[in-house]
Amino acid sequence: MRAIPVLIFVMLCLSESAWFMARLGPLTSPDPDMHGPTIYSLATGRIFSPVHREVDAFGNPVKRQSLSGDSQFLFLGGKRNILDMDAIQLSLKGDPGTWQQRLSNNQPRQQVSIPDRHHANRSNQYFPLLYLPQAIGLRTAMWSGMTPYSSWQMARITNVIVFMLLWGTAICMIPRGKWVLAVIGGMPSIVFLASSLMSDGNIIALCGIFAAIVLKCIETNRPLARLGRFIVGLLFLLLLYSKILYAVPVLVLLLLPHRLMTAKVKAGILLVPMAVFAATYMPWSMHFGGMLAIGNIARNTHQMIAHPLHTAMVILRSMTNLPHMFVHQPIWFLPQFIVLLAAWLFSLICVLSRNQSVAAYRRGPWQWLSENRYFAGMLVLCFISIFMMYGALALTWNNLQALNADRLGGFQVRYIYPLLSLSTFALVSDARCVDNREFMPRLQPSHDRTCYLKGGEAL
């Protein structure tokens, strides 16, 4: 029975990814001029290609990376830069840009460099390590002599395979909430990201693996072994490489009691990846990393420092617009979240009924908060993460001086997908120690204290 959620997830993911790959070209996605060149630069070993510094139209100093290689891969013929929701909607009627993307197979091969007057390049916007699955697929296809279009398709295939392996492992490992993860992994919105050239699916999978490992540690009431600590530290490092704001929920480790994780282990898991990140990402960012902005970052930074309260209020008002964004989506969008909510509520009801035997020993809101501190802490951390998302958009995607009291623009619903798996923290609570002399008079007098796990099992 425990294998059924994994099987359901695999069937959903396979069928949906096959649909998207058949109905949408690989270069039909958000920011194809970033994902395609980044994958190509990693697959061909050109991630350290030279950059030249200039000032963009908004007055920001930027670094443009010059990427040289095969024109069939770098010119991205027929690319369509559309939002993920629009791409999924387009798959229902078919992508007319697919045949244009296939034309690159017939174009003459020549050595070119981008960016130029007609072809953009953003291969240095994000640290390229998270594009490793796609780069492996592209490199394999190039070695085997496949056409450019088929090579990009191979990059999508390896991307979704890695996602399925990681997410399936998370479903197997997580002690509670298997159906919640199965529904999340089978959502069309997430399967599209995982089966595209984007790195979003990898970030979502990393968060799911993290949740599964930590919840298993809490549920079994056993400290993480050395391998488990190494994996959690590696996950933290990879999330830092993706976007720092997605690494914020890892701080929930600080709420683990000493019996599960000592202060020394917590410091090692958090500080060592941060040191590796500083020693690797910071030099890359200083010498190679670039950023796209449609506002003056220096002026926005000055505005945020000069008026922090006003900026915080603008961000909070923008966050209240999230429910409105969910409602104003295509007709197929809401049902997947309704199914997810139903699975989450069903899992929560099962947990509450299982914990009913120890409900009598709970005393007051503070004790309840102590027992459920993991979920409460995760809510706070996810709030901070979303707040940071809007803060980053305020710096790069808006003009704060002209905003006054308006909401921030540029936020996309897919930004919160990596946080969905963290809702499973509501399905576990801390083990409680109850005094048998006060609550369990029927036990033997020699038993002074018994530590109970969720569900009333004695340790």
Side-chain angles (χ1 to χ4, degrees), residues 40-49 65-70 111:
Y40 183 84
S41 67
L42 184 59
T44 57
R46 292 180 170 87
I47 58 175
F48 299 116
S49 296
Q65 187 170 46
S66 179
L67 187 60
S68 299
D70 189 345
Q111 193 76 5

Side-chain angles (χ1 to χ4, degrees), residues 20 30 49 51 95 132 147 156 160 176 182 193 230 247-248 250 263 265 272 275 318 344 391 395 455:
F20 292 132
S49 296
V51 299
D95 180 12
L132 185 59
T147 63
R156 299 173 72 183
V160 75
R176 301 186 185 183
L193 299 176
F230 172 79
V248 171
V250 178
V265 173
V272 172
S318 302
W344 185 82
L395 282 176

Side-chain angles (χ1 to χ4, degrees), residues 105-410:
N105 298 337
N106 304 321
Q107 299 297 323
R109 292 178 180 269
Q110 54 181 327
Q111 193 76 5
V112 297
S113 295
I114 57 171
D116 58 22
R117 293 178 56 188
H118 305 289
H119 304 91
N121 176 38
R122 292 160 56 193
S123 59
N124 59 333
Q125 181 163 334
Y126 292 115
F127 199 71
L129 185 61
L130 288 177
Y131 289 91
L132 185 59
Q134 300 94 308
I136 292 175
L138 183 63
R139 180 73 263 181
T140 303
M142 294 171 68
W143 276 338
S144 60
M146 298 176 67
T147 63
Y149 185 88
S150 299
S151 298
W152 291 124
Q153 290 286 67
M154 179 61 71
R156 299 173 72 183
I157 291 173
T158 54
N159 194 27
V160 75
I161 288 176
V162 171
F163 172 77
M164 291 176 61
L165 290 174
L166 293 177
W167 202 259
T169 302
I171 296 175
C172 293
M173 289 182 59
I174 199 166
R176 301 186 185 183
K178 294 181 183 295
W179 281 108
V180 176
L181 290 191
V183 172
I184 293 174
M187 290 167 55
S189 300
I190 290 181
V191 175
F192 168 75
L193 299 176
S195 61
S196 68
L197 297 178
M198 304 167 68
S199 63
D200 296 56
N202 301 326
I203 301 173
I204 295 170
L206 293 177
C207 290
I209 286 286
F210 168 76
I213 293 176
V214 176
L215 292 183
K216 184 176 182 180
C217 171
I218 297 171
E219 182 72 11
T220 59
N221 201 43
R222 295 177 181 177
L224 285 177
R226 184 173 300 177
L227 178 61
R229 297 196 295 266
F230 172 79
I231 294 176
V232 172
L234 180 61
L235 293 173
F236 183 44
L237 176 62
L238 293 176
L239 289 173
L240 287 173
Y241 282 141
S242 62
K243 289 180 181 177
I244 295 178
L245 55 91
Y246 289 130
V248 171
V250 178
L251 297 180
V252 75
L253 296 176
L254 297 176
L255 299 178
L256 293 177
H258 187 271
R259 70 176 186 274
L260 295 182
M261 188 171 291
T262 64
K264 181 179 179 180
V265 173
K266 293 176 185 177
I269 290 178
L270 296 177
L271 296 181
V272 172
M274 291 174 65
V276 175
F277 173 76
T280 55
Y281 181 86
M282 296 306 178
W284 176 86
S285 179
M286 291 175 57
H287 295 93
F288 299 97
M291 178 176 292
L292 177 67
I294 60 172
N296 189 285
I297 297 178
R299 286 201 294 263
N300 285 341
T301 303
H302 175 77
Q303 181 75 6
M304 294 179 72
I305 296 175
H307 305 283
L309 183 60
H310 171 72
T311 303
M313 293 304 298
V314 171
I315 293 177
L316 291 176
R317 278 193 293 269
S318 302
M319 293 175 66
T320 60
N321 194 46
L322 276 175
H324 177 80
M325 293 181 64
F326 271 84
V327 172
H328 288 77
Q329 296 292 344
I331 189 65
W332 55 266
F333 180 79
L334 280 180
Q336 60 182 356
F337 283 94
I338 294 175
V339 173
L340 174 59
L341 179 61
W344 185 82
L345 289 176
F346 175 78
S347 301
L348 186 61
I349 291 173
C350 292
V351 169
L352 293 176
S353 62
R354 184 178 175 183
N355 292 352
Q356 195 172 10
S357 58
V358 295
Y361 310 131
R362 295 174 182 171
R363 291 294 184 268
W366 288 110
Q367 185 175 358
W368 181 90
L369 185 62
S370 177
E371 290 181 2
N372 297 277
R373 64 179 180 270
Y374 304 121
F375 185 56
M378 187 57 73
L379 284 177
V380 174
L381 293 172
C382 288
F383 175 85
I384 295 174
S385 182
I386 297 176
F387 191 93
M388 292 174 62
M389 294 180 196
Y390 276 101
L393 291 173
L395 282 176
T396 60
W397 218 252
N398 294 268
N399 185 354
L400 290 183
Q401 293 179 326
L403 263 180
N404 295 326
D406 295 335
R407 293 183 173 90
L408 298 170

